Amino acid sequence: MTTIKDIAKAAGVSVTTVSRALNGYSDVNEKTRQKIIEISKELKYSPNTLARSLVMNKSKTIGLLISGLNRGSIKDNFTFEVLVGLNQYVGETDYDLVIFSTTSSKQREKTYSELCRERRVDGVIISGIRTDDPYLREVVDSEIPCVLIDIPIQSDSVGYVTTDNVQGVKKGVQHLIELGHRNIAMVNGHEYAFVSRQRLEGYYQAIEGAGIPINPKWVTNGDFEEKKAEEQALELLSTYPEISAILCASDLMAMGVIKAAKQLGKKVPEELSIVGYDDIILAEHITPALTTIAQDKVQMGFEAAKLLINMLENDNEPHTITLPTELKIRETTSTLRK
Amino acid sequence: MTTIKDIAKAAGVSVTTVSRALNGYSDVNEKTRQKIIEISKELKYSPNTLARSLVMNKSKTIGLLISGLNRGSIKDNFTFEVLVGLNQYVGETDYDLVIFSTTSSKQREKTYSELCRERRVDGVIISGIRTDDPYLREVVDSEIPCVLIDIPIQSDSVGYVTTDNVQGVKKGVQHLIELGHRNIAMVNGHEYAFVSRQRLEGYYQAIEGAGIPINPKWVTNGDFEEKKAEEQALELLSTYPEISAILCASDLMAMGVIKAAKQLGKKVPEELSIVGYDDIILAEHITPALTTIAQDKVQMGFEAAKLLINMLENDNEPHTITLPTELKIRETTSTLRK
DNA sequence: CTGAAAGCGCTAACAT
DNA sequence: ATGTTAGCGCTTTCAG
C-alpha cells in the first residue's frame, strides 16, 4: 500500500511537500506538484483517512443512531426513507455515514458518548429514540454536534428536524369536521414520543376550535403498533358506538383500526371514517386507500444531514427545521351518514 | 479527551502496561489491571479506534456499496430489508458498517479500491450493482474481501449470497401449469442482472419440462420497473390475446402488469393469472393480493454479513450461500378459464 | 518554495 | 510483570 513516503522517495522531495502538493496548498511549485500528482497516480496512491483523521482530530464521519433498523420497522419504512434522504445529502459531501448498531445484546454496555468517541465521529444523527431513552440525556450533555429527528431539543451542539405535528393532525381533524363528523376519537402513539404529545395537542386544538366538547375517553394509545391499535379501536368502538371517525397517529395503526372496523361489521368509510399519519407506501395501495397526513421522510433525512454538516462546518445559529405536512384525501373518509 | 498516556501517568505505569491491561492480556498483574481499569473509568476513557486501526492495520469496519439507497428504491424495499439483516448480524460483532454513498455526482471519480482503501475497510458488501458496472471487475481483481448479493462470482477474496432463482421461477411457472395454463408469458428484468438470466432459465426449464413449446416472443424485459412492465404487458397482451398467465421477475413489475390488464379490461385472475417475485410488503396488501415467489431479504443481508465476517476472521473455504425461495399463493392466480 | 522534526493515540517487539 | 523504543501514515509548526 503506497504512502506519501513512497511518493516522496520517488519524487525526490520530502513528505511535507507531498502532503502539501496533494492537499492543494498554494506554497508549492506547480511543477513539483504536477510531478507528485503524476507519481501518486502511477503508484496508485490513496490517502489513509485513518492517519489523517488521527492527526487532524476529525474523521469526516457521521454516526447514525437509528433504532428502526430491525424487522419490526420494515412495514412502515420510515427509517429507510430517512436514510435515503441522509444518504442523498451526505453523498454530495466528503463525509461518510457509519451505522451504530444498537439492536444488539451488547447495545447498552456502551454509553452514547463512548460510542461516538471511540469512532471519533464528527457528528451524530439520531432517529427513532424514545424520550425516556437514557441516551437522550447524554446527547444533550455531550459536546458532540447532533441532530435529532422528531425530538425538539436544542442547544449549542444539538439541533433537530421535525414536521409540524400540531398542524398536521389539525388538518386531519378539520377535514373530518368538515365532513360533518363530531364524534371523533383518536388513537395516539405513546407518551414517550414527542410527536404523540404534539399530535394530541393538534387534536385538542381542532376539536375545541370547532366548539366540540372534548371527551378524554375517546383518546387512547396504540403504541404505534398495528395490533395494539386494532385492540384499542375494538374496545373504543364497542364501548362508544357513536364514534363516527378516528384519527390515528400512524398509518400502521390506521390499518389496525380498519381491521377492527371490519370485525365489528362497520363499513369504512360509510360507517367509520379513518385518517392515518405518515403516508407510508402501503397507505395508497390498500383498499380502501387510506386518507392520511403525509410527511416527507426523505426530506427530513436530507435536511437533517444538511443541518448537521452546516453545524460542523459553519456553526450557524438556528439549529432547527420544521417541515410542513400535507393532507392526502383518499378513500377512508366520507361525509357523516346519519 | 483522555488517552492511555493520561491513565499511565495517573496510575504510575507505562502506556504499554495500560494498553495491555485494557486489552485483557494475561501478562499483567491483576492488581495493576484493576487499578488501571478503575482509573480509566474515572477519567472516562474511550479508546481511539482511529489510532488503533492505524497501527493494527484493520479498522473493524465494513463498507457498504449499495445502489438502492435512493428514492426509486423505496417502493420495493429490498435494499432496506437487506440492510436490516446486515445490521442484525453486524450488531452482534465489534464491526461497524459504513455506507459508501455512490448516489452522488462525485460517485464515479473514485474507483472502487480507492473508496475502500481510503476508509481502510476490512471488507465490503455489495448489493444492487449491475453486471456491467465497472466496479464489479475491480472487486474481483481487488484483494479486499467482499461479499456480493445476487451476483454469483467467487474467488479467494470474494463470495456471494443469493437465492435459488432458477428453482424460484420454476415453482411459479409450475404452479401456473398445474392451474391449467399453457400460454404463459414472462416479464423479466434486464440483461445486466444475473438474477434475470437465472430466472429466465427457470422459466425455460419449467415450460419445457411440461412439454410446452417455447415461444421467445412471449419473453420480454421490463427493466424491473413498474411502468416499463406495464407497457410491455400492454403490448404483449394486445398482440397475443391467447396469453393466459404472466410470470414477472419482480413484484413491482407484476403491479405494472396488473395495471395493464385493467386497462385491457382483463380480469385478474379470472382472465389473466399473474405471479410476481420478491414478496415485497405491498404484495399481500394490494387487491387482489399478489401470488409471488418470496425471498427472505433480511436473511440475505444477515447471511452476507456473517459470511464476510467469517472470511475476515477465519477464512473458511466455501464463500457462497444460496437461500431457498417460497411460493406464496394468493389471489392473482386461478385455474384457466376456457 | 522546501525540509526537518514533532506528534496525533495506539500497539508490539524487545529488553529487563 | 513491566518499561523502552519504534513506528503506523499523516499534518503541521518552524527554519531555512
Side-chain angles (χ1 to χ4, degrees), chain A residues 231-245:
Chain A
E231 293 161 14
Q232 293 292 314
L234 227 38
E235 200 182 315
L236 213 52
L237 292 170
S238 319
T239 321
Y240 309 102
E242 65 271 32
I243 291 173
S244 69

Side-chain angles (χ1 to χ4, degrees), chain A residues 1-2 44-51 53-54 57-61 64 66 68-71 73-77 79-81 83-85 87-88 90-106 113-114 117-120 226 255 281-282 285-287 296 298-299, chain B residues 1-2 44-51 53-54 57-61 64 66 68-71 73-77 79-81 83-85 87-88 90-106 113-114 117-120 226 255 281-282 285-287 296 298-299:
Chain A
M1 194 128 295
T2 326
K44 292 189 197 304
Y45 169 76
S46 321
N48 185 334
T49 53
L50 259 37
S53 301
L54 182 60
N57 205 28
K58 52 182 173 149
S59 60
K60 290 285 175 182
T61 274
L64 250 36
I66 292 191
L69 221 53
N70 48 52
R71 256 199 158 94
S73 310
I74 289 177
K75 201 162 176 182
D76 105 55
N77 47 351
T79 306
F80 184 55
E81 297 192 38
L83 209 52
V84 165
N87 184 54
Q88 193 179 319
V90 170
E92 300 297 333
T93 71
D94 55 348
Y95 285 84
D96 275 323
L97 294 170
V98 2
I99 300 173
F100 290 143
S101 301
T102 45
T103 44
S104 60
S105 47
K106 58 145 203 209
S113 38
E114 275 170 352
R117 283 190 318 220
E118 285 190 9
R119 282 285 176 189
R120 288 299 190 275
E226 187 172 354
M255 288 171 63
I281 297 285
L282 284 175
H285 287 95
I286 57 174
T287 307
D296 191 337
V298 176
Q299 184 74 18
Chain B
M1 192 129 299
T2 325
K44 292 189 196 306
Y45 168 76
S46 320
N48 185 333
T49 53
L50 259 37
S53 301
L54 182 60
N57 204 29
K58 51 182 174 149
S59 60
K60 289 286 175 182
T61 274
L64 250 36
I66 292 191
L69 221 54
N70 48 52
R71 256 197 158 98
S73 310
I74 289 176
K75 201 162 176 183
D76 106 54
N77 47 350
T79 305
F80 184 55
E81 297 192 36
L83 209 54
V84 165
N87 184 55
Q88 194 178 320
V90 171
E92 300 298 334
T93 71
D94 55 348
Y95 286 83
D96 276 323
L97 294 170
V98 3
I99 299 174
F100 290 144
S101 302
T102 46
T103 43
S104 59
S105 47
K106 58 145 204 208
S113 38
E114 276 170 351
R117 284 190 317 222
E118 285 189 9
R119 282 284 176 190
R120 288 301 191 274
E226 187 172 354
M255 288 170 62
I281 297 285
L282 284 176
H285 288 96
I286 57 174
T287 307
D296 191 336
V298 175
Q299 185 74 16

Side-chain angles (χ1 to χ4, degrees), chain B residues 155-186:
Chain B
S155 74
D156 274 1
S157 60
V158 359
Y160 65 87
V161 2
T162 186
T163 52
D164 193 337
N165 288 287
V166 177
Q167 267 309 315
V169 168
K170 237 168 141 174
K171 275 189 261 187
V173 175
Q174 281 165 354
H175 165 58
L176 290 168
I177 291 171
E178 277 162 24
L179 291 172
H181 295 276
R182 291 183 63 84
N183 300 337
I184 303 169
M186 175 174 192

Side-chain angles (χ1 to χ4, degrees), chain A residues 78-338:
Chain A
F78 185 95
T79 306
F80 184 55
E81 297 192 38
V82 169
L83 209 52
V84 165
L86 288 170
N87 184 54
Q88 193 179 319
Y89 186 84
V90 170
E92 300 297 333
T93 71
D94 55 348
Y95 285 84
D96 275 323
L97 294 170
V98 2
I99 300 173
F100 290 143
S101 301
T102 45
T103 44
S104 60
S105 47
K106 58 145 203 209
Q107 69 185 54
R108 281 298 126 104
E109 71 184 33
K110 267 182 199 162
T111 67
Y112 167 75
S113 38
E114 275 170 352
L115 217 53
C116 300
R117 283 190 318 220
E118 285 190 9
R119 282 285 176 189
R120 288 299 190 275
V121 294
D122 295 336
V124 186
I125 286 171
I126 301 185
S127 168
I129 201 178
R130 289 161 55 116
T131 57
D132 60 341
D133 192 305
Y135 273 16
L136 196 55
R137 179 153 310 180
E138 273 200 86
V139 170
V140 186
D141 296 343
S142 160
E143 290 291 280
I144 305 161
C146 171
V147 168
L148 297 160
I149 288 178
D150 271 343
I151 301 188
I153 293 180
Q154 71 166 313
S155 74
D156 274 1
S157 60
V158 359
Y160 65 88
V161 4
T162 187
T163 51
D164 194 337
N165 289 286
V166 177
Q167 267 309 316
V169 167
K170 237 169 143 173
K171 275 189 261 187
V173 175
Q174 280 165 354
H175 165 59
L176 290 169
I177 291 171
E178 277 163 23
L179 291 172
H181 295 276
R182 290 183 64 85
N183 301 337
I184 303 169
M186 175 175 193
V187 177
N188 205 352
H190 56 64
E191 53 177 324
Y192 301 108
F194 272 104
V195 293
S196 288
R197 300 191 201 162
Q198 297 169 324
R199 289 174 196 174
L200 183 61
E201 175 62 24
Y203 170 79
Y204 283 152
Q205 284 187 19
I207 298 285
E208 283 183 329
I212 303 171
I214 283 174
N215 185 344
K217 295 252 173 70
W218 288 1
V219 176
T220 147
N221 279 340
D223 282 352
F224 293 113
E225 283 169 31
E226 187 172 354
K227 192 70 198 161
K228 185 85 187 291
E230 181 183 338
E231 293 161 14
Q232 293 292 314
L234 227 38
E235 200 182 315
L236 213 52
L237 292 170
S238 319
T239 321
Y240 309 102
E242 65 271 32
I243 291 173
S244 69
I246 299 184
L247 187 131
C248 305
S250 84
D251 286 346
L252 238 38
M253 292 197 294
M255 288 171 63
V257 172
I258 291 176
K259 279 190 188 155
K262 213 165 265 172
Q263 282 173 59
L264 296 172
K266 288 207 179 222
K267 279 213 157 65
V268 177
E270 293 83 351
E271 295 167 82
L272 182 72
S273 281
I274 298 173
V275 176
Y277 205 108
D278 283 345
D279 197 22
I280 63 177
I281 297 285
L282 284 175
E284 68 168 305
H285 287 95
I286 57 174
T287 307
L290 189 61
T291 294
T292 189
I293 298 136
Q295 45 181 343
D296 191 337
K297 291 136 271 171
V298 176
Q299 184 74 18
M300 288 174 80
F302 188 89
E303 295 296 342
K306 192 171 169 184
L307 186 57
L308 181 62
I309 291 180
N310 251 321
M311 286 166 64
L312 259 28
E313 317 254 89
N314 314 311
D315 205 9
N316 287 340
E317 266 323 293
H319 302 328
T320 117
I321 289 175
T322 303
L323 265 18
T325 57
E326 187 191 346
L327 176 66
K328 302 236 177 179
I329 299 174
R330 293 202 268 249
E331 303 165 0
T332 53
T333 46
S334 70
T335 52
L336 179 63
R337 216 184 53 162
K338 298 292 166 176

Side-chain angles (χ1 to χ4, degrees), chain A residues 19-38:
Chain A
S19 173
R20 279 195 288 239
L22 259 25
N23 288 311
Y25 279 57
S26 57
D27 59 349
V28 50
N29 188 303
E30 206 41 48
K31 275 198 172 163
T32 323
R33 185 198 306 282
Q34 286 315 321
K35 191 168 157 196
I36 288 174
I37 289 178
E38 199 180 320

